[in-house]
Structure formats: C-alpha cells, structure tokens
C-alpha cells in the first residue's frame, strides 16, 4: 500500500512531504493552511498545486488509481516548497 508520508522519490531522489507534515512543520492547523493557500491561489479547490508553483519546484503532483479504476491527483511539497511556505507563512497567517 502507498504511504502518503515523507518519502524519497525513486526517480529524482526528491524528499517530499504531505499536507499533514507541512502543517506540523509550520505549526499550523492543516485546514487553516489549506484554506489560506487556496485563497492565495497556491492550490486549487482539490488541494492540487498551481502549475506555476509546480514549475518552480515547490510541489510535485502525483496521480493515484482508486480501486474502481478512476484516479485523482494529490500534491506533495518538496524541500524547497517547504522553505517557500516558511517564508510566506507571515502572509498565510498574518499577525
């Protein structure tokens, strides 16, 4: 079974993090984090990263097959994406 946790991509050896881990590192509630990222157009309503941010290397989009043979996309955050989110944290959660 596939794990959504941090893992190293076999193709490029890229360490990635799921949204739960990102929220924990940023010390934010996951729902609040995702809501703010949607408001900033960093992710869409399905929590998939905008193409510009994928091209920047901040996120990786993966596709997962369901048992009924349909599929869905999900986003993983790269190390550079995590650093980017740390920098924009003040915008995500203004004081």
């Amino acid at each position: 079974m596939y794990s959504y946790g941090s893992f190293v991509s076999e193709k490029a050896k890229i360490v990635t993090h799921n949204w739960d881990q990102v929220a924990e590192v940023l010390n934010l509630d996951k729902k609040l984090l995702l809501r703010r990222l949607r408001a900033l157009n960093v992710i869409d309503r399905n929590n998939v990263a905008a193409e510009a941010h994928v091209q920047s290397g901040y996120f990786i989009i993966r596709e997962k097959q369901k048992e009924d043979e349909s599929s869905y996309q999900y986003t993983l955050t790269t190390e550079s994406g995590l650093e980017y989110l740390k920098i924009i944290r003040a915008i995500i959660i203004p004081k």
Side-chain angles (χ1 to χ4, degrees):
M1 185 71 193
Y2 184 81
S3 170
Y4 291 105
S6 288
F7 70 96
V8 178
S9 172
E10 294 176 15
K11 292 180 182 177
K13 304 294 182 195
I14 299 172
V15 176
T16 58
H17 309 278
N18 65 29
W19 290 124
D20 290 318
Q21 294 165 323
V22 171
E24 185 177 332
V25 168
L26 296 176
N27 196 29
L28 296 173
D29 176 72
K30 177 183 157 186
K31 289 181 181 181
L32 177 62
L33 170 65
L34 295 174
R35 193 171 342 143
R36 295 297 170 92
L37 291 176
R38 279 187 223 104
L40 293 169
N41 296 314
V42 173
I43 60 174
D44 67 15
R45 64 188 177 115
N46 296 315
N47 301 333
V48 175
E51 185 63 28
H53 295 292
V54 173
Q55 294 295 326
S56 296
Y58 298 147
F59 303 103
I60 296 173
I61 298 174
R62 295 280 188 242
E63 192 163 317
K64 177 89 171 147
Q65 287 289 126
K66 295 181 183 179
E67 288 182 21
D68 65 1
E69 302 206 16
S70 63
S71 63
Y72 64 94
Q73 292 182 322
Y74 62 96
T75 299
L76 295 171
T77 305
T78 64
E79 285 295 310
S80 61
L82 191 56
E83 293 305 312
Y84 169 72
L85 293 174
K86 287 177 183 177
I87 291 167
I88 69 164
R89 188 183 189 286
I91 296 168
I92 296 171
I93 309 296
K95 294 199 180 215

